[in-house]
Amino acid sequence: MGPAVMQGQFTVDSNLLLEGRPNEIAGFSVWLSGMSFVADEAGPRLTPAPSPPYASRVQNNLTSLMKKLLLALALGFTLTATAADKDGWIALFDGKSLAGWKANEAPDTFKVVDGELVVKGPRAHLFYVGDVQGAKFKNFELKLDISTRPKANSGVYFHTEFGPGWPAKGYEVQVNNTHGDPKKTAGLYNVKDNLEAPAKDGEWFTMHIKVVGKHVITSVNGKVIVDYTEEEKPERKSQPGRLIGNGTFAIQGHDPGSEIHYKNIFVKPLP
């Protein structure tokens, strides 16, 4: 999605015309009857002085106009950040920063490098805490592009919540192609495990997770790995919080020897 812009024109009064002109989000100008109102990272300002016939009108309407312009710009930023594409997918990771995400410990385990989320370092979990759905999801589809390095271990949690240590709530979808743990990528960890790696280290693959009601489907590059429906009263003696409910997502940093790259993280909320 491109930058938020304002375009077109509308009449403010019989003599005062406000024209919006497309430009970059970081800086744009609005020409107002011989004067220029500029809003950019340095803040809003007005240059040069208006011509005498319009000075009083500009002074009287400037506060109202500035409020409307800044509100429209803020709305544009919000829509750009959270708007879904034509198929309903919404980006959770912007490829530039960890905006909307929060680590529960060891924040240096997570870094953004060349548009990728690189996970490498001490144990930590990066939770989604952004604006989409108020960071609370029930029925959804989630897709991520992932590349594992040799002997790497990670995981993607859903229906979880922010907290210390290993997440106690929700399900973990395993990410592991050659780590010593026999439970491999796209299995539901300790619930319905997958014992055969569906992808190779160093190659990008797409992992897809779909949850509707109590039904969970995981797939890698379009191949279904797990198709599971949670029982009425599942036994979870060692992990009582491992249940379908609602909550946010988290990405796992498992250990200092594991390196995993993520990109193109999208969610599609479902009814």
Side-chain angles (χ1 to χ4, degrees), residues 11-30:
T11 301
V12 175
D13 64 32
S14 60
N15 295 307
L16 188 60
L17 186 68
L18 175 65
E19 296 180 353
R21 182 170 165 180
N23 209 323
E24 297 298 323
I25 287 179
F28 70 89
S29 297
V30 177

Side-chain angles (χ1 to χ4, degrees), residues 218-234:
T218 71
S219 62
V220 171
N221 293 338
K223 179 183 178 181
V224 173
I225 305 299
V226 167
D227 188 332
Y228 169 76
T229 300
E230 187 180 272
E231 318 81 269
E232 186 65 28
K233 294 181 179 180

Side-chain angles (χ1 to χ4, degrees), residues 22-270:
N23 209 323
E24 297 298 323
I25 287 179
F28 70 89
S29 297
V30 177
W31 281 264
L32 189 59
S33 299
M35 62 186 297
S36 178
F37 167 76
V38 180
D40 59 17
E41 293 176 344
R45 60 187 183 277
L46 192 63
T47 61
S51 56
Y54 302 106
S56 60
R57 288 179 187 162
V58 169
Q59 185 174 4
N60 291 338
N61 290 282
L62 182 57
T63 299
S64 176
L65 289 170
M66 285 178 65
K67 288 180 179 179
K68 291 177 181 178
L69 288 167
L70 295 176
L71 178 61
L73 183 60
L75 179 59
F77 276 126
T78 301
L79 291 175
T80 298
T82 62
D85 68 11
K86 63 183 179 62
D87 295 317
W89 292 101
I90 305 171
L92 298 183
F93 171 56
D94 63 15
K96 300 175 182 178
S97 70
L98 295 179
W101 296 84
K102 182 180 179 181
N104 65 347
E105 55 189 335
D108 288 342
T109 293
F110 307 98
K111 294 182 174 64
V112 179
V113 180
D114 297 331
E116 301 170 10
L117 171 60
V118 179
V119 183
K120 183 180 182 180
R123 182 197 69 181
H125 293 81
L126 188 68
F127 291 80
Y128 179 71
V129 293
D131 295 332
V132 180
Q133 295 283 112
K136 182 171 283 191
F137 303 87
K138 182 173 177 59
N139 298 328
F140 65 87
E141 293 182 56
L142 181 73
K143 61 182 178 179
L144 316 87
D145 288 343
I146 307 171
S147 177
T148 57
R149 299 301 184 260
K151 301 181 189 272
N153 195 331
S154 182
V156 177
Y157 286 79
F158 66 85
H159 289 178
T160 190
E161 63 185 8
F162 188 87
W166 306 100
K169 181 178 183 290
Y171 276 65
E172 178 189 358
V173 181
Q174 173 78 315
V175 176
N176 162 25
N177 292 318
T178 57
H179 185 271
D181 189 333
K183 299 169 183 178
K184 303 305 182 184
T185 295
L188 296 178
Y189 202 87
N190 281 348
V191 174
K192 191 172 179 62
D193 295 305
N194 170 41
L195 302 180
E196 183 177 349
K200 296 180 180 180
D201 289 331
E203 297 181 0
W204 286 100
F205 63 91
T206 299
M207 188 167 77
H208 182 273
I209 305 164
K210 183 177 181 180
V211 178
V212 177
K214 300 289 186 177
H215 188 201
V216 182
I217 298 176
T218 71
S219 62
V220 171
N221 293 338
K223 179 183 178 181
V224 173
I225 305 299
V226 167
D227 188 332
Y228 169 76
T229 300
E230 187 180 272
E231 318 81 269
E232 186 65 28
K233 294 181 179 180
E235 291 189 12
R236 303 281 193 262
K237 293 180 180 179
S238 62
Q239 296 173 307
R242 190 141 291 188
L243 298 169
I244 290 176
N246 61 63
T248 191
F249 305 110
I251 293 174
Q252 181 186 81
H254 187 271
D255 62 84
S258 292
E259 180 177 342
I260 308 91
H261 295 223
Y262 292 84
K263 65 180 181 180
N264 299 327
I265 304 174
F266 289 88
V267 68
K268 181 194 290 187
L270 300 175

